[in-house]
Amino acid sequence: MALVIIGTGLAGYNLAREWRKLNPAGELVIITRDDGRNYSKPMLSTGYTKGKTADALAMQTAAQMAEQLKADIRTSASVSAIDAAAKTVTVDGDVLSYDKLVLALGADPFQPPLAGDGLARVYTVNDLMDYAKFQQAAAGKKSVIVIGGGLIGCEYANDLSNGGFSVQLIEPVGRVLPALLPVVASHAVGNALADLGVTFHFGVSVQAVYNEGDGVRAVLSDGKEIHGDIVLSAIGLRPRVALAKEAGLMVNRGIVVDRLLATSQPDIYALGDCAEVDGLVLPYVLPLMAGARALAKTLSGQESPISYPVMPVQVKTPICPVVVAPVFPNMQGEWHLETQDGNNIKALFKNGEGQLLGFALTGSFASDAALKAELGKLVLGWLV
Ligand SMILES: Cc1cc2nc3c(=O)[nH]c(=O)nc-3n(C[C@H](O)[C@H](O)[C@H](O)COP(=O)(O)OP(=O)(O)OC[C@H]3O[C@@H](n4cnc5c(N)ncnc54)[C@H](O)[C@@H]3O)c2cc1C
């Protein structure tokens, strides 16, 4: 009987590493429907800036990871069912038993409901294989239409601009990074990207994409038509919950887990982008690393509930870097602009008692290590 992990993203591999440290001889099986290469997903949106192909971003092959982790890693293998009572998973028709099972399934890019005959030229990039396909499609092209002005859309807009593409970005809300930043900081990042050459279409959505010669024509909700070579859609991620739901596990936005990362079924845990931990879906690296460390201990017999200190998110827009300790919809308080010097912004989010709940730094403030450390100490944690 073994520990079985489904997923070889940062969640699956980090957990495997932490668990192996505590269990030098335990049996470990890792299943993935992709090729199992180890890579750092955040690097996908820096590929053009750093001149890296998908192959160059891959740090290890699945075989190298198997040796390092002393694990049986099954690649191109899709888990289609979990039987929580029998403690088995079905993998491409085979049935495999587990002692403990960890779902590290990640999230699916949200697909915009688009009309038109040009959808084959609309790409999403959420893993190394997507990235390779996108780079291949973009080779020799000059212009990209980016749908979505959130973290991933802005990072790709900056990266593609650095790669020499002309970029148009569509964002239905009237500013970039609306879910992460106060208005003034959004404007700083938007201005910097505009100076880099990004053209924005705010307050509209894309309705349809049509083939037009070798490129596309996108129809916006205000009737305007814009033209480009290909489209990159970055309008958000949905935790992969279907497998868990079919197995009778409790799901909400993500797979519901408690602070031990335990699902509603015995001996099944969830971690990373697919998990909703005590009500929070945090699709970032630091939360999953904290989760991997805690879960490895729990799986080794030392129950370790997770707590999250504040984990600031960096937005990799080098033209105007951003560090933000985001605020969530249930947090009561207000943004205060502390300092503004051009696109360099320091803004603090405080509650009625003056306690710091979040902060947003752009430009030179985002690179100020002492300031980030000081604010990091003051701000209240997310799950404490
Ligand atoms: C472009 C980009 C930039 C980012 N930048 C940052 C950043 O700067 N900072 C930050 O903190 N976060 C960033 N993030 C988010 C961060 O990368 C993710 O939170 C993290 O990588 C998610 O890891 P994961 O292991 O949960 O999911 P994934 O990496 O998606 O892994 C999911 C795994 O599950 C497998 N799988 C799924 N279903 C099945 C099945 N049925 N059977 C078998 N295998 C299955 C997949 O094959 C895959 O191996 C970024 C994300 C993107 C897309």
Side-chain angles (χ1 to χ4, degrees):
M1 294 285 254
L3 169 63
V4 173
I5 300 174
I6 311 176
T8 54
L10 288 171
Y13 274 153
N14 270 295
L15 173 66
R17 234 179 251 120
E18 296 295 332
W19 184 83
R20 181 52 85 208
K21 284 185 211 161
L22 303 174
N23 300 272
E27 187 185 352
L28 175 59
V29 179
I30 313 178
I31 304 164
T32 180
R33 65 185 183 194
D34 61 31
D35 59 17
R37 284 187 291 176
N38 181 33
Y39 71 103
S40 174
K41 191 181 285 200
M43 294 300 107
L44 295 180
S45 49
T46 65
Y48 285 101
T49 305
K50 298 195 169 148
K52 294 226 168 168
T53 61
D55 287 345
L57 288 176
M59 298 180 288
Q60 277 103 14
T61 62
Q64 288 167 328
M65 290 305 289
E67 198 183 330
Q68 200 180 93
L69 295 166
K70 288 190 278 164
D72 169 6
I73 301 183
R74 306 187 185 181
T75 58
S76 306
S78 196
V79 175
S80 55
I82 300 166
D83 185 333
K87 295 180 74 170
T88 60
V89 293
T90 305
V91 192
D92 292 337
D94 287 342
V95 174
L96 178 76
S97 294
Y98 63 81
D99 186 23
K100 309 266 183 202
L101 175 68
V102 178
L103 309 176
L105 304 170
D108 280 316
F110 186 67
Q111 301 290 347
L114 298 174
D117 65 2
L119 302 193
R121 289 178 182 158
V122 179
Y123 291 82
T124 54
V125 177
N126 186 40
D127 61 33
L128 204 53
M129 288 149 84
D130 291 344
Y131 183 68
K133 280 187 212 143
F134 179 77
Q135 277 211 327
Q136 202 177 5
K141 307 280 192 211
K142 293 194 167 56
S143 62
V144 183
I145 296 172
V146 176
I147 308 180
L151 179 144
I152 294 173
C154 285
E155 289 189 354
Y156 280 127
N158 198 148
D159 191 48
L160 289 162
S161 300
N162 289 352
F165 293 91
S166 119
V167 176
Q168 299 186 73
L169 187 149
I170 294 107
E171 168 53 56
V173 178
R175 60 191 176 98
V176 297
L177 300 167
L180 282 177
L181 293 184
V183 174
V184 65
S186 286
H187 288 158
V189 180
N191 291 341
L193 287 170
D195 288 344
L196 191 63
V198 176
T199 303
F200 290 104
H201 303 275
F202 285 128
V204 288
S205 57
V206 180
Q207 307 277 292
V209 176
Y210 296 97
N211 289 320
E212 187 177 63
D214 287 340
V216 293
R217 172 171 58 89
V219 182
L220 307 184
S221 52
D222 61 357
K224 192 171 166 187
E225 296 190 344
I226 60 173
H227 307 267
D229 291 329
I230 54 173
V231 180
L232 179 58
S233 173
I235 56 170
L237 296 168
R238 295 278 159 94
R240 293 188 176 120
V241 297
L243 190 61
K245 195 174 176 187
E246 278 159 31
L249 277 63
M250 198 186 291
V251 302
N252 186 32
R253 253 186 86 206
I255 302 169
V256 171
V257 293
D258 61 17
R259 289 193 184 204
L260 290 172
L261 303 181
T263 68
S264 57
Q265 291 287 346
D267 297 320
I268 306 181
Y269 300 80
L271 174 71
D273 280 9
C274 66
E276 179 174 323
V277 185
D278 210 6
L280 285 179
V281 176
L282 296 172
Y284 303 111
V285 176
L286 290 180
L288 74 78
M289 290 181 73
R293 286 190 294 272
L295 182 53
K297 285 187 195 154
T298 297
L299 291 170
S300 309
Q302 187 190 334
E303 278 204 351
S304 301
I306 193 167
S307 64
Y308 291 145
V310 70
M311 290 175 280
V313 175
Q314 305 210 16
V315 185
K316 299 182 296 299
T317 41
I319 193 68
C320 181
V322 177
V323 174
V324 57
V327 295
F328 302 109
N330 60 351
M331 289 181 174
Q332 301 293 321
E334 273 181 25
W335 281 106
H336 301 267
L337 175 62
E338 298 285 307
T339 320
Q340 175 165 25
D341 168 19
N343 291 336
N344 308 311
I345 304 280
K346 175 182 169 192
L348 305 179
F349 189 90
K350 293 180 182 171
N351 65 14
E353 286 83 56
Q355 287 171 306
L356 187 63
L357 302 184
F359 60 82
L361 307 173
T362 67
S364 60
F365 290 115
S367 317
D368 184 337
L371 175 63
K372 283 187 280 186
E374 181 197 324
L375 289 174
K377 275 188 228 146
L378 291 174
V379 77
L380 295 183
W382 291 341
L383 263 190
V384 282

